[in-house]
Amino acid sequence: MTEQEKDFQASPNGFTREYYKKAIAALNIDRPQLAMEFIARVLQAQPENTGALTLMAIAALRNKDLAQAEQAVRAALRLDPQSCALHLLYGMILRRRLQLSSARAEFQRAIALDPSHPWPYYFLGAIYLSYPVPLADEARPYVYKAVELDPEDAQIQALLARQAIADGNLALAAQAYRRALALAPQDATILSDYGDFLLHRQVQPQEALHVLKEAIRLDPNDKQTQKRLLKAIRAAHPLYRPIVSYRAFLRQASQGLRLGVGLAASLFTCIAGRLLLSLTRALSDSSLASRNPLLSNISLILLCLGFFIVSPYGFLLLYRAVMAPLLLFLIKRGWIK
């Protein structure tokens, strides 16, 4: 037996308090796996410690270990079935596991236990708004009740913005997003959602690009923000504007004109390329046979000319495919603004 184990047996409460404090500190520095290890030590000594079980569920949820989180919160609920906070936590875990009907039931139990708690209303509203076709009528009473109970929370204001979008009230949505960002200006998720709102709902690509750049700076690894920023780059970034102008021309032109221009360009490319290739090959053969450097230079010039005649469309396709991802990479690294 180690000296530490002897000390633990002599004074278990002191050691459990220390491990409990270390677990909280680990969560505060975003180390959920380490927090779980510390809490496991506490639960070895006190397996029916409701606070430790709750903390284990929170740490496991942050660590994306949903099975462990559910196991811990269910154990805590057996010890304290009348806890609003535990039913709320259990609902959050079930929501992450996509068991939405069970999650809604847990949030309803939390409301029954404490009707003044805003977060069960928040999550019920968020569930109804998360469907592919948002259930705005079902979500509305929960969203507005959450706002009534805690109007100064940024996440609740952001949910109000989503509700307003589902209701078609874009003015209220813009107001709610601005209020949310005034409360939490460094929240990458709210910035990303606001940028998407500006891009698709208010058609303000320049403003959306600015907001999404800030969101990707705060959270460079968020996949959804990356996709949204790519769309904003394609819509508004100056280096991508030639592609936008080209697409605008194609949209405005009639179908017959687009077809005619495309056929003419393809025919010209094929004919000019074939003629220049034949001429270049003939001159090259002649220069090799006569050992004439002048003919070699002319054939090289014609080859370059043919390359510039035939390749613009290829350059356009390459530019279109590469430029937006390249700009996203450079913006994430902070090398361009």
Side-chain angles (χ1 to χ4, degrees):
M1 181 180 296
T2 65
E3 197 65 31
Q4 188 177 23
E5 288 172 334
K6 291 178 181 178
D7 291 342
F8 176 76
Q9 287 189 351
S11 179
N13 290 333
F15 268 80
T16 54
R17 282 196 297 270
E18 283 301 313
Y19 282 125
Y20 197 89
K21 291 177 182 178
K22 288 179 180 179
I24 294 173
L27 281 177
N28 289 336
I29 61 172
D30 199 22
R31 296 282 301 278
Q33 181 62 47
L34 182 61
M36 290 172 68
E37 294 173 8
F38 287 134
I39 289 298
R41 298 287 189 90
V42 177
L43 291 172
Q44 284 177 359
Q46 300 175 354
E48 294 191 347
N49 184 322
T50 306
L53 287 167
T54 304
L55 197 59
M56 174 64 84
I58 294 170
L61 179 61
R62 290 196 190 178
N63 201 43
K64 299 180 181 178
D65 187 349
L66 300 182
Q68 176 67 43
E70 184 172 357
Q71 179 183 346
V73 77
R74 286 170 68 93
L77 277 169
R78 282 194 295 270
L79 297 168
D80 187 4
Q82 299 302 309
S83 170
C84 169
L86 285 175
H87 284 288
L88 175 61
L89 179 58
Y90 191 21
M92 292 167 63
I93 294 167
L94 291 171
R95 177 172 175 253
R96 287 283 294 274
R97 302 196 79 167
L98 301 180
Q99 299 177 20
L100 299 185
S101 60
S102 298
R104 290 200 304 269
E106 289 300 319
F107 293 136
Q108 292 287 5
R109 291 188 187 101
I111 289 173
L113 290 166
D114 184 0
S116 65
H117 199 309
W119 289 101
Y121 300 101
Y122 169 90
F123 283 111
L124 281 166
I127 286 175
Y128 285 118
L129 292 175
S130 66
Y131 291 106
V133 178
L135 303 178
D137 292 338
E138 288 81 353
R140 191 178 300 109
Y142 298 112
V143 172
Y144 279 93
K145 185 63 176 180
V147 173
E148 176 189 332
L149 291 170
D150 191 357
E152 298 301 313
D153 187 276
Q155 295 294 334
I156 291 176
Q157 287 293 328
L159 184 68
L160 175 61
R162 290 172 55 195
Q163 177 68 50
I165 291 170
D167 290 337
N169 190 343
L170 299 187
L172 176 59
Q175 179 183 345
Y177 271 129
R178 288 194 293 268
R179 176 64 177 158
L181 288 172
L183 294 166
Q186 300 296 306
D187 191 306
T189 301
I190 296 176
L191 282 166
S192 179
D193 290 343
Y194 184 44
D196 187 65
F197 169 75
L198 289 171
L199 183 62
H200 292 106
R201 299 290 180 169
Q202 296 204 318
V203 196
Q204 298 177 8
Q206 290 288 350
E207 291 80 356
L209 181 62
H210 173 73
V211 171
L212 289 167
K213 283 180 183 178
E214 181 64 16
I216 205 71
R217 183 187 67 81
L218 293 168
D219 189 359
N221 299 316
D222 185 78
K223 300 298 182 184
Q224 187 175 43
T225 303
Q226 291 177 15
K227 292 177 182 177
R228 290 170 171 175
L229 182 55
L230 273 174
K231 292 179 182 178
I233 287 170
R234 293 187 176 111
H237 201 283
L239 293 176
Y240 202 79
R241 200 162 291 157
I243 300 297
V244 177
S245 300
Y246 171 70
R247 287 178 173 175
F249 166 74
L250 290 181
R251 284 196 298 268
Q252 293 171 3
S254 65
Q255 185 175 0
L257 178 59
R258 291 199 301 269
L259 182 61
V261 170
L263 289 174
S266 300
L267 184 62
F268 171 77
T269 299
C270 291
I271 293 174
R274 179 60 182 169
L275 288 174
L276 285 170
L277 181 61
S278 300
L279 182 58
T280 302
R281 182 175 180 179
L283 287 173
S284 179
D285 291 343
S286 298
S287 67
L288 290 173
S290 62
R291 299 179 181 278
N292 188 337
L294 180 60
L295 289 177
S296 296
N297 292 335
I298 294 174
S299 65
L300 182 62
I301 292 170
L302 287 174
L303 182 64
C304 294
L305 180 63
F307 177 75
F308 282 111
I309 289 175
V310 174
S311 61
Y313 188 65
F315 275 137
L316 183 63
L317 289 178
L318 184 64
Y319 186 90
R320 177 180 173 182
V322 171
M323 183 53 65
L326 177 61
L327 287 171
L328 175 61
F329 173 81
L330 296 174
I331 289 170
K332 284 174 61 180
R333 299 300 183 280
W335 295 344
I336 65 171
K337 295 184 178 180

